[in-house]
Every structure is written in structure tokens, then in C-alpha cells.
Amino acid sequence: MKQIRITSHVERPPSKGQQFVCEWMEASLMNRWLLKIRLAEALAAHGEGSHWVETRDKEQARESVAA
């Protein structure tokens, strides 16, 4: 199973509007749908290339926590 999240190079305090960057979550169909909508909102608010979706294998996450 994969994990996904939205990340960005935009530095904004959480109190200054909606925060689009999120923690790792399962790459279920529902979560991918949710992130697609949030990514579109983030790009509309901050411009093309400001945010993107990252993916990783769940096994890699376990290995990095154990290390």
C-alpha cells in the first residue's frame, strides 16, 4: 500500500488562511480524491508549482521510523 500527502515550498503560518500541506495518509481512493481537490485549491491560491503530491511505500515509512 502507498501513502500520499501534499507538500509545498510555500511558508505560511497556519493562522494565515487555509493550510494545504498535510501529513502522510493511506493512498485509498477516497484520500486520493480528497487530495486532488485540496491540491487544486492550493494551486489556485498560491500558483502553479507551489504544491505537489508526494507518494511513498508504507514499508519505507516503517523502516524510517525504526531507524
Side-chain angles (χ1 to χ4, degrees), residues 6-48:
I6 294 177
T7 190
S8 173
H9 62 76
V10 176
E11 296 289 332
R12 291 179 58 113
S15 62
K16 297 277 186 176
Q18 185 172 2
Q19 183 177 0
F20 296 102
V21 175
C22 62
E23 297 295 322
W24 289 104
M25 61 179 74
E26 297 297 325
S28 67
L29 183 60
M30 189 166 125
N31 285 342
R32 290 186 309 222
W33 177 78
L34 172 69
L35 286 189
K36 182 178 179 181
I37 292 169
R38 289 185 71 192
L39 180 61
E41 292 172 352
L43 294 176
H46 300 286
E48 192 68 31

